[in-house]
Amino acid sequence: MSLNDLDKALIEAARIAAASSYSPYSDYPVGAALRFADGTIITGTNIENASYGLGLCAETVAVAKAMADGRRGELEAVAVSGPEKRGDGAPITPCGRCRQVLNELAALGGTDPRILCVGNDEVREARLSELLPHAFGPAHLD
Ligand code: THU
């Protein structure tokens, strides 16, 4: 796929965010970056806990930061970047829980954001609706 300058900046923001990862237990730093319609980028990184099951993923932290800043919708694109030296270097995709968390923010604005999954030599792109088809969302509770 060809990446435009906005996408490249989003991917770079995700990579930089991973440098702040608190992941002493998995040693698996992840960075996430959300881009909104006004061009704002909000990042997150995974934050683990000595009580292992309480760790937070990078995408979830990014969504929480954005919503705590008052953002509701207008989510256009997301970049997720994992560590270069783990696994086979293939792009990592948001975990199931993060797909649901991303869907909440996206659904509030009626967008279907592009998800840029960043690997060592490849960026794989999918729409959130492809990663989470038939999503449960706020409209179900109307
Ligand atoms: N992780 C994320 O931050 N995002 C994902 O979508 C997948 C997994 C984190 C959770 C944990 O801190 C580490 O990666 C290893 O699973």
Side-chain angles (χ1 to χ4, degrees), residues 89-110:
I92 70 161
T93 59
C95 79
R97 183 178 189 275
C98 287
R99 295 176 193 199
Q100 181 68 27
V101 169
L102 287 164
N103 182 70
E104 186 79 16
L105 178 54
L108 291 174

Side-chain angles (χ1 to χ4, degrees), residues 75 111 137:
L75 181 60
T111 62

Side-chain angles (χ1 to χ4, degrees), residues 43-126:
T43 61
T45 188
N46 52 333
I47 307 293
E48 298 184 346
N49 192 282
S51 180
Y52 296 163
L54 301 186
L56 299 171
C57 287
E59 303 90 317
T60 291
V61 169
V63 170
K65 280 174 66 180
M67 295 190 74
D69 278 353
R71 300 238 164 221
R72 301 287 186 270
E74 304 212 314
L75 181 60
E76 287 194 343
V78 178
V80 185
S81 162
E84 278 180 28
K85 297 192 171 90
R86 296 285 296 276
D88 60 4
I92 70 161
T93 59
C95 79
R97 183 178 189 275
C98 287
R99 295 176 193 199
Q100 181 68 27
V101 169
L102 287 164
N103 182 70
E104 186 79 16
L105 178 54
L108 291 174
T111 62
D112 186 9
R114 298 163 57 226
I115 313 292
L116 305 177
C117 304
V118 184
N120 290 358
D121 306 310
E122 183 195 352
V123 176
R124 202 173 285 160
E125 176 174 344

